[in-house]
Amino acid sequence: MNDPYSPSVAQRIRDLPRAGIRIIFDEAQKYPDAIHLEIGQPDFPTPAPICDAAAAAMRAGETRYTPNPGTLALRADIAQAVHRDHQVTITPDEIVVTTGGMGALATGIEAILNPGDEILLPDPGWPNYAMQVICAGGTPTYYDLDARQGYQPDPAQIAQRITPRTRAILVNSPSNPTGGILTHPIVEEILALAEKHNLLIISDEVYDRIVFDNTFTSFLRAENRDRVIYINSFSKTYAMTGWRIGYLIAPRAIASEVAKLQEVYCACACSVSQAAARAALRLPQSQVKEMVQRYDTRRTVLTSILTAGGVPHFQPRGTFFLMADISGTRLDSQDFALQLLHEQKVAVAPGQTFGRNARQNIRLAFAVRDDLLATAGQRLVEFIAKHTH
Ligand code: PLP
């Protein structure tokens, strides 16, 4: 298909932006010794007991289709883990196991949208949300997040941006890319807004275990969960990004439609990954804490270098992402990222890929070894000093 404007390609798919992070990642392939802070995935290997459980499942013949919403065994285990972590009782028919958090988000969004319906998304926010809304035939609209307000949304502004077409408010706490965590009062206010305007809340909590203080509030704890579509994943907590396994928790009426959509795209999440996920839930929680401890150390490594170098940044409260302010350089964030790569062999994510509000930021993923992170931080400080006028 040589003609890029071929009418046989759907307009909305053609209009999907190419992820800015991928542009940098592809360019970075020219530099084998580049330090990669652009891609957001744990650098730890998947813990051995998870791999062992997968191997055992394969040998035991767990290699066939499972029910659309996932095996009952895994859904029961998820319900138990949710009770352990949030003291909330849910049943397996409120759970759909999906191909990663992405699968949960895409099918969850598709299940609730009629053509032209709107979903309010965070700006800055993870770019895949808008792509998923567009693919589902909906329209993304936005509410602002600002580093000066600790990346907390303003509920009054969200209220102003609700239209008769708005179906849902999407929230992501802890947030990629900001590292911010919604405060408890803000969570309450968003729940109240949804109630008042008859909206759903899609709560992406895939980073819920990577938090550095105890301020995280899950939307699962809402008194009334009838409006909450909860998204989680094994990818980040258990270093399982390649296993493609996540899940959604929603009221039965929505969960059953999302389960139907699994049949459209994949029939079910990978059977072997489902067995592996059960082992992940049985891991001693101290192992997860150890990983978080290491991210916390890296957070300190990076923030102390940036602070010493005079680079303004937001102190992440969770995730392994940090937003640095590059406004002093007057470089467009994409140009900044490309020049930094060419001059200093450090790959970062350009802020503009996360929305208008991040055009003067870059996102750094502190999911690499401490020594590499320190080197990258120093090079970044040097680069910013050289380009600041
Ligand atoms: N939500 C956010 C905010 C993410 O950053 C990611 C992955 O980067 C996901 C969801 C989905 O992750 P996965 O599909 O690997 O579970």
Side-chain angles (χ1 to χ4, degrees):
M1 222 183 310
N2 292 329
D3 175 13
Y5 297 104
S6 163
S8 56
V9 176
Q11 181 77 37
R12 69 181 196 292
I13 306 303
R14 207 161 59 205
D15 289 349
L16 287 179
R18 188 163 169 242
I21 301 168
R22 285 280 160 195
I23 295 171
I24 301 298
F25 179 80
D26 292 348
E27 185 68 15
Q29 302 314 304
K30 292 183 190 159
Y31 304 100
D33 54 347
I35 303 177
H36 290 272
L37 307 188
E38 81 282 34
I39 298 282
Q41 66 175 335
D43 58 323
F44 306 121
T46 304
I50 301 177
C51 300
D52 292 346
M58 277 190 264
R59 289 203 193 89
E62 289 182 45
T63 50
R64 301 199 151 86
Y65 294 130
T66 75
N68 291 144
T71 63
L72 186 56
L74 174 56
R75 284 180 291 136
D77 285 356
I78 291 171
Q80 210 172 33
V82 163
H83 192 265
R84 174 194 67 200
D85 296 339
H86 301 289
Q87 295 79 52
V88 168
T89 303
I90 53 165
T91 56
D93 56 356
E94 294 170 277
I95 302 172
V96 184
V97 177
T98 53
T99 50
M102 288 187 205
L105 282 156
T107 52
I109 286 170
E110 188 170 356
I112 61 164
L113 285 188
N114 283 310
D117 281 354
E118 297 169 359
I119 298 194
L120 268 162
L121 305 177
D123 175 0
W126 191 46
N128 297 44
Y129 301 137
M131 296 169 84
Q132 288 162 338
V133 172
I134 291 166
C135 284
T139 305
T141 55
Y142 296 93
Y143 59 90
D144 296 325
L145 299 177
D146 184 337
R148 286 164 302 188
Q149 318 300 333
Y151 286 122
Q152 301 296 318
D154 171 8
Q157 187 202 56
I158 296 181
Q160 276 167 9
R161 301 207 173 158
I162 293 170
T163 76
R165 300 306 308 259
T166 309
R167 279 288 284 148
I169 304 167
L170 188 145
V171 285
N172 173 216
S173 171
S175 156
N176 172 13
T178 72
I181 288 181
L182 297 181
T183 64
H184 185 75
I186 289 285
V187 168
E188 292 293 322
E189 285 193 65
I190 292 173
L191 283 163
L193 266 180
E195 198 67 40
K196 181 170 172 202
H197 297 273
N198 191 23
L199 302 175
L200 292 162
I201 291 172
I202 301 172
S203 185
D204 177 353
E205 302 185 16
V206 303
Y207 295 99
D208 67 341
R209 302 301 297 280
I210 307 175
V211 295
F212 306 119
D213 46 35
N214 279 329
T215 55
F216 175 69
T217 302
S218 172
F219 278 81
L220 267 187
R221 299 228 183 166
E223 234 165 74
N224 179 2
R225 275 189 294 107
D226 283 0
R227 302 189 171 279
V228 178
I229 299 177
Y230 168 92
I231 310 290
N232 213 327
S233 168
F234 293 85
S235 287
K236 315 289 172 170
T237 310
Y238 302 103
M240 291 177 73
T241 46
W243 297 73
R244 310 312 304 131
I245 186 96
Y247 59 96
L248 166 151
I249 299 174
R252 275 176 207 94
I254 295 177
S256 61
E257 299 303 318
V258 174
K260 213 159 77 185
L261 277 174
Q262 303 312 304
E263 183 65 28
V264 176
Y265 294 112
C266 53
C268 59
C270 165
S271 59
V272 175
S273 297
Q274 291 191 52
R278 293 192 67 200
L281 293 173
R282 285 195 294 271
L283 273 190
Q285 291 305 297
S286 55
Q287 221 159 316
V288 176
K289 284 199 183 117
E290 247 168 66
M291 273 200 267
V292 176
Q293 201 62 51
R294 287 170 66 185
Y295 289 129
D296 200 3
T297 306
R298 292 168 179 181
R299 179 177 71 139
T300 308
V301 167
L302 187 58
T303 53
S304 37
I305 291 173
L306 296 182
T307 304
V311 179
H313 59 275
F314 180 76
Q315 171 87 359
R317 314 254 189 271
T319 76
F320 36 69
F321 299 115
L322 175 142
M323 289 284 257
D325 184 326
I326 56 160
S327 53
T329 66
R330 306 232 172 88
L331 282 171
D332 161 78
S333 68
Q334 181 93 21
D335 293 343
F336 182 103
L338 283 170
Q339 280 193 40
L340 176 69
L341 178 62
H342 295 148
E343 287 180 30
Q344 295 282 2
K345 317 282 178 291
V346 174
V348 300
Q352 65 205 51
T353 199
F354 304 104
R356 291 169 50 81
N357 291 334
R359 284 175 299 182
Q360 299 194 319
N361 294 109
I362 50 165
R363 187 199 69 180
L364 312 173
F366 44 98
V368 297
R369 278 193 343 243
D370 299 15
D371 57 325
L372 288 179
L373 189 61
T375 305
Q378 295 294 2
R379 291 183 189 174
L380 176 66
V381 166
E382 243 176 71
F383 179 86
I384 292 181
K386 181 174 157 208
H387 291 271
T388 299
H389 307 291

